[in-house]
Amino acid sequence: MRHALLILLLLATPLTIAAQGPVALCTEWVATVDDSQHVVLRWNVSPDTRAAGYDICHGDTFCLPYVHVNGRYDTSWVCRDHNALERNSYALCVMSNDSNYSALTPKFGNIVLKAEIPLCETTVSASWNPYSGMPSGIGLYSLLCRIEPYQDDFEELYATDSTGALAYSFIMPDGATRVYLKVRATSKEHDLVSYSNTVSVERRTVDSAAFVRIDSVEADSINTLVLVHIPIDTAFHSGRYTLWRSLDGRPWNPIATFQPTSPEFTYIDRDIIPYRDSLHCYQLSVVDGCGMNPHYSATLCTAVPKPHEPDYYIPNAVVAGDADNGLFLPVVMGLMGDLYELTIYDRKGMQMFHTSNPDEGWRPGSDTPQGAYTYSLRVRYNDNRIKTHTGTVLVLK
């Protein structure tokens, strides 16, 4: 019988008043969200000494009975069956021990905060609904933020009164891994505070390399260069790899950026300064598909020995068409590596052969006429001198 009467009382405005008079309504009430992300309702003790408990109703269209809280001094309820990510509407009335009821409070509910970072971007956008039913109105909204790994607690990021924008955007700091946000609303006159749900957001990317490493580095003292051998995750097509170098413990500098598609990649570091740099250290980094969140390989180093003294040997004869003695290939030691030009001319001055590869030589065919041919070899040595060597080579049959 009492429950039927309660439903009628909650749905009717004004409520039916018993002969002994209505019970005094609470003056303060609030809906908030606790650290466990549960909606929590709180209110002050009814000033009416006849108060025996509190009835809470729930719903936007119809305020239907939700729970009865016994006892004048029991002034809170945890709504564990209500989703804190959805807006919930409540109203409260006081019940006396002689079954009289107060009027309903205005409807009030929790604040729902939403926040997101678009794919590949760093701007966090947050917005929340206005809090309604706060006694005396809202004095201030504060957007609170905690940034990992820089902050241990929430700090105020943005504040506005009820006339300001209930939205805020900011750029996620470099190096931040995750951002936690929540909204705090305070009453103008009463000591009431409502918190929204807590939202966590992180930078969103598309993919990342399965492995980032350097297999080996090796110094070539003859040609004064370093070979850096890198295995590549070919499934990771959209990423950009960067090779870094440190010379003799000095700061790291990027020396190459590439997007390889083959499973093996060898970078030839020719930027070697003889007689000064000795320990060359290399590190590989790769960013994700959004160009963010770099990952670094382990460091590999090689000691570049003192280069060979500039020297050369040039054959004076070759046998045309012979597999063993038919290659004209100068042997040059102490090359800088960035300049090598070998050209062969016939007796009329016509170019017969040209290369810029120190490993490639001239192999005259069996139909090449016997006789003397002129060569020109232009190189840069590791002492930075540029020399041009000329002479003749005899082609024998």
Side-chain angles (χ1 to χ4, degrees), residues 4-13 15-17 99-101 104:
L5 179 59
L6 172 61
I7 294 174
L8 292 175
L9 288 172
L10 292 175
L11 295 176
T13 304
L15 299 177
T16 303
I17 302 175
S99 298
N100 277 282
Y101 294 86
L104 288 171

Side-chain angles (χ1 to χ4, degrees), residues 206-273:
V206 289
D207 53 12
S208 61
F211 53 83
V212 185
R213 71 173 187 266
I214 298 174
D215 270 354
S216 65
V217 295
E218 55 181 301
D220 182 344
S221 59
I222 295 178
N223 296 308
T224 320
L225 53 84
V226 174
L227 301 174
V228 184
H229 302 289
I230 303 168
I232 299 297
D233 178 8
T234 55
F236 182 60
H237 296 300
S238 56
R240 186 175 67 253
Y241 292 80
T242 300
L243 185 64
W244 304 76
R245 183 185 63 190
S246 171
L247 303 178
D248 286 334
R250 292 193 288 274
W252 290 94
N253 289 302
I255 60 172
T257 300
F258 47 89
Q259 289 181 283
T261 56
S262 61
E264 297 292 336
F265 179 78
T266 298
Y267 179 79
I268 303 175
D269 185 9
R270 302 182 187 275
D271 187 19
I272 308 300
I273 304 177

Side-chain angles (χ1 to χ4, degrees), residues 115 200 267 351:
S200 66
Y267 179 79
Q351 180 175 303

Side-chain angles (χ1 to χ4, degrees), residues 13 26 83 113 115 120 128 167 181 190 204 266 286 290 298 300 368 392:
T13 304
C26 298
N83 188 355
L113 170 66
C120 292
W128 59 96
L181 299 167
H190 299 278
R204 298 166 54 217
T266 298
V286 62
C290 295
L300 288 184
T368 303
T392 59

Side-chain angles (χ1 to χ4, degrees), residues 308-315 329-335 340 375 377 379 381 385 387-391:
H308 285 275
E309 294 294 331
D311 198 3
Y312 67 94
Y313 165 73
I314 301 178
L329 179 63
V331 177
V332 183
M333 293 178 291
L335 278 175
Y340 181 93
Y375 67 81
L377 176 62
V379 297
Y381 287 107
R385 291 180 300 136
K387 298 288 289 184
T388 300
H389 305 283
T390 60

Side-chain angles (χ1 to χ4, degrees), residues 118-178:
L119 182 68
C120 292
E121 294 187 15
T122 59
T123 299
V124 181
S125 298
S127 63
W128 59 96
N129 61 280
Y131 189 99
S132 60
M134 178 75 80
S136 77
I138 293 293
L140 191 69
Y141 289 103
S142 299
L143 180 63
L144 309 179
C145 176
R146 181 168 72 84
I147 302 173
E148 288 187 345
Y150 302 126
Q151 296 173 326
D152 295 326
D153 205 354
F154 284 89
E155 298 180 5
E156 185 176 89
L157 183 65
Y158 166 75
T160 182
D161 59 19
S162 57
T163 63
L166 306 187
Y168 187 73
S169 296
F170 63 97
I171 297 176
M172 195 169 183
D174 290 339
T177 56
R178 184 178 291 270

